[in-house]
Amino acid sequence: MYNKIVVASDSFKGSLTSLQVAQNVERAVCEDYPSCKVVKVNVADGGEGTMDALQQTLGGRKVTLAVSDPLGRKVDASYVILDDAVTAVLEMSAASGLPLLAPEERNPSKTSTLGTGELICDALAKGCRRFLVGIGGSATNDAGMGMLHALGYRFRDASGKELAPVGGSMIHVASIDASCRLSELSDAEFIVACDVKAPLYGPDGAAYVFAPQKGADKAMVEALDEGLRHFSSVCAKAMGYDCSTLDGSGAAGGLGYAFRQFLGARLERGVEMVLDAIHFDDMIADAHLVITGEGRVDSQTLTGKTPFGVAQRALRLGIPVIAIGGSVAIDKDQAQLAGFKDVLQVTPEGMPLQEAMKPEVAAESVYRTIKTLLKKYE
């Protein structure tokens, strides 16, 4: 008999939102177990949808303002202030993301994270002092110079001239002027969702691994990497410490480095940041079963995506976890090693993908799968 079931699934991208997955699980549970409490938890892994997931779970209000896009043009971008009035949730892609640029506009020597810094400035002015930031999907490779410019830092060349905060300027930085740094930053805490382990520079760094997809050719990649090396050496000399070789410093074109080096941020796996923020362990403490999932459960799931993070939390508390997916590409041994009691594909065998991804079809598939698994594990 089930008394409490927690549903914490990522979205089935292109088909069902996290909440819609949970609603269809609840529909199945309540038909056969009307006295069972179903707790629906909107979760994400630090990427797209993280802001909405935290707002729906913790409450809050969305703030929208005009900020600079990666090329300095004005674009409307949003962030969320949670109900505690001190926590802001941001996705840097809202202001500095690759989708904001047409393919022919992509050039990481000219793009900037300025808009991301403008979002932070606005939140600081509204009293926020705790920041949860997702940094996936960037169009930039500026080592966070743009964000830092918005926060009051100025970067100058050898003649003392202020440099534009773009990727191509890193190589020319000779000094850092922090005299206009926002005083509110002294009381601010930054927790950054980052699943990328790349250091700032080198063959595994920001430029070589990620800049090509942002529009860089071979020569630009080499120039950007040299710029990252130079910029971090100037910062290390001026500040007395160096975060450039730490895991995650190369994320979002070096934005991870800027958060660490200048703002003392803590970088965490995206799903861990989200689960900590919503106090997930408390939510599941007395649950009999946890149901999680995503559109495709495969080897990537086991590297730290939402279902894996959920399973690890439940496993520590001795609570069984079942994962569902539109498609499943792992075997039972892999599933058990990851902490899943079972992994179930909701799409009937032979159903064309185009049909399976229709929201009404996917919803019915989730519903029918849950009806079957509840009887199996009762």
Side-chain angles (χ1 to χ4, degrees):
M1 192 63 169
Y2 301 103
N3 293 322
K4 178 179 176 180
I5 294 175
V6 175
V7 189
S9 173
D10 207 340
S11 64
F12 284 27
K13 287 183 174 58
S15 186
L16 299 173
T17 66
S18 172
L19 182 59
Q20 287 170 331
V21 173
Q23 288 170 336
N24 284 284
V25 172
E26 182 180 46
R27 179 163 66 100
V29 172
C30 290
E31 283 186 4
D32 293 334
Y33 306 91
S35 63
C36 179
K37 179 181 180 182
V38 178
V39 178
K40 302 186 293 294
V41 185
N42 199 339
V43 290
D45 61 7
E48 182 182 357
T50 296
M51 185 173 69
D52 290 338
L54 289 175
Q55 182 183 14
Q56 289 177 19
T57 302
L58 299 175
R61 62 186 177 95
K62 187 168 288 187
V63 178
T64 302
L65 65 152
V67 298
S68 303
D69 81 352
L71 290 175
R73 303 167 300 199
K74 288 302 177 184
V75 62
D76 285 342
S78 301
Y79 68 94
V80 165
I81 299 177
L82 298 181
D83 276 348
D84 64 7
V86 297
T87 302
V89 184
L90 296 85
E91 294 175 9
M92 72 86 64
S93 59
S96 311
L98 196 60
L100 296 173
L101 302 180
E104 65 273 13
E105 294 177 324
R106 296 174 181 177
N107 183 335
S109 69
K110 296 182 178 180
T111 53
S112 172
T113 52
L114 180 63
T116 297
E118 290 169 345
L119 290 175
I120 294 172
C121 284
D122 191 76
L124 286 169
K126 288 180 168 61
C128 295
R129 294 296 181 269
R130 184 169 181 259
F131 291 81
L132 306 179
V133 188
I135 60 172
S138 77
T140 56
N141 198 117
D142 68 347
M145 282 180 62
M147 176 189 73
L148 295 167
H149 180 91
L151 299 179
Y153 290 92
R154 297 294 179 265
F155 301 96
R156 305 186 186 280
D157 65 14
S159 69
K161 180 183 177 182
E162 184 178 327
L163 293 163
V166 298
S169 294
M170 296 183 296
I171 192 66
H172 302 298
V173 174
S175 63
I176 305 166
D177 179 359
S179 61
C180 294
R181 179 182 187 270
L182 296 182
S183 60
E184 294 91 339
L185 289 171
S186 298
D187 301 320
E189 174 190 17
F190 293 88
I191 303 170
V192 177
C194 178
D195 291 344
V196 171
K197 292 187 176 182
L200 183 61
Y201 54 79
D204 299 319
Y208 278 99
V209 176
F210 301 109
Q213 69 196 43
K214 304 174 186 182
D217 58 19
K218 185 175 184 293
M220 188 185 298
V221 166
E222 293 173 353
L224 288 169
D225 186 70
E226 186 179 356
L228 291 165
R229 289 175 182 271
H230 172 77
F231 180 73
S232 64
S233 70
V234 173
C235 294
K237 184 176 181 180
M239 303 173 78
Y241 55 91
D242 180 19
C243 296
S244 65
T245 61
L246 299 180
D247 284 356
S249 290
L255 187 61
Y257 165 80
F259 269 113
R260 263 190 165 139
Q261 182 77 22
F262 288 82
L263 303 177
R266 186 167 78 247
L267 271 59
E268 296 184 350
R269 279 193 176 275
V271 66
E272 298 300 329
M273 183 192 81
V274 172
L275 296 179
D276 283 342
I278 64 176
H279 305 290
F280 185 70
D281 291 8
D282 294 336
M283 288 183 175
I284 66 172
D286 57 347
H288 290 85
L289 178 67
V290 173
I291 297 173
T292 187
E294 61 180 339
R296 178 176 172 81
V297 180
D298 57 19
S299 59
Q300 291 299 307
T301 303
L302 310 184
T303 64
K305 295 179 74 176
T306 296
F308 181 81
V310 168
Q312 294 302 299
R313 296 296 183 102
L315 187 63
R316 290 200 289 267
L317 296 175
I319 302 166
V321 182
I322 294 175
I324 58 174
S327 64
V328 173
I330 61 173
D331 59 33
K332 289 188 179 296
D333 288 341
Q334 289 175 301
Q336 290 175 358
L337 284 173
F340 301 117
K341 184 179 181 70
D342 205 348
V343 179
L344 304 174
Q345 177 172 301
V346 305
T347 303
E349 290 295 336
M351 179 179 284
L353 178 62
Q354 187 175 2
E355 178 70 13
M357 290 188 67
K358 292 179 180 177
E360 66 276 13
V361 174
E364 188 66 16
S365 296
V366 169
Y367 164 78
R368 292 186 180 280
T369 300
I370 297 303
K371 294 274 282 188
T372 300
L373 82 83
L374 291 174
K375 294 296 186 184
K376 179 180 179 180
Y377 291 110
E378 186 176 21

